[in-house]
Amino acid sequence: MQIRDARDADWPAMWAFMRPIIEAAETYPWPPDTTEAWTRAYWMERPAPASRLVAELEGRVAGTVEIHPNLPGQGAHVANAGFMVDPAFGGRGVGRALGEAALARAKADGFHAMQFNAVVATNTRAVRLWHALGMRTLALIPGGFRHPSEGPVDMHLMFREL
């Protein structure tokens, strides 16, 4: 597996798995009808210190992460990140590799910590992974996510110093 900076040419492969993840509305808080144009701008076009990486496996883009300041100004030293892994590559370590790379990249880019604002509690694989990578759940937001089949479920607010 190779982790590298995302390139414009990666976008079609990224959108191919990102779109169904967003539309499913099970793990991402964005509206299911979020447009490709909005997603591309959010993921690919934010200026530094924002960055984006992809994981390549078997010659294909298997997953991606975008890293950005959690807040502007006086909160900009804390990073936030969004992850999506192509379900075709699930269970093969792509999420872990991207998580490790994101933490390292955020530190290299001068961030002091990483914060995840909305890890859906029913996404148990992600919760376990982030805990394994040293993230702590600081709080559970009761019913903070409207899951399409489970109804209101909790969201983890997670944090780790870098």
Side-chain angles (χ1 to χ4, degrees), residues 57-94:
L57 190 59
E58 300 171 359
R60 293 177 46 202
V61 175
T64 183
V65 59
E66 60 79 24
I67 306 159
H68 63 274
N70 190 53
L71 294 168
Q74 300 311 102
H77 62 291
V78 176
N80 189 299
F83 298 81
M84 291 196 210
V85 173
D86 185 336
F89 292 94
R92 298 179 61 186
V94 175

Side-chain angles (χ1 to χ4, degrees), residues 7-23:
R7 300 185 291 253
D8 287 337
D10 297 321
W11 181 252
M14 293 165 61
W15 181 242
F17 64 83
M18 293 171 80
R19 181 179 180 184
I21 291 169
I22 295 166
E23 288 176 346

Side-chain angles (χ1 to χ4, degrees), residues 103-126:
L103 292 167
R105 177 64 172 266
K107 184 173 183 173
D109 286 349
F111 291 104
H112 296 245
M114 178 72 76
Q115 179 174 320
F116 298 155
N117 299 321
V119 181
V120 181
T122 54
N123 190 356
T124 56
R125 288 176 70 182

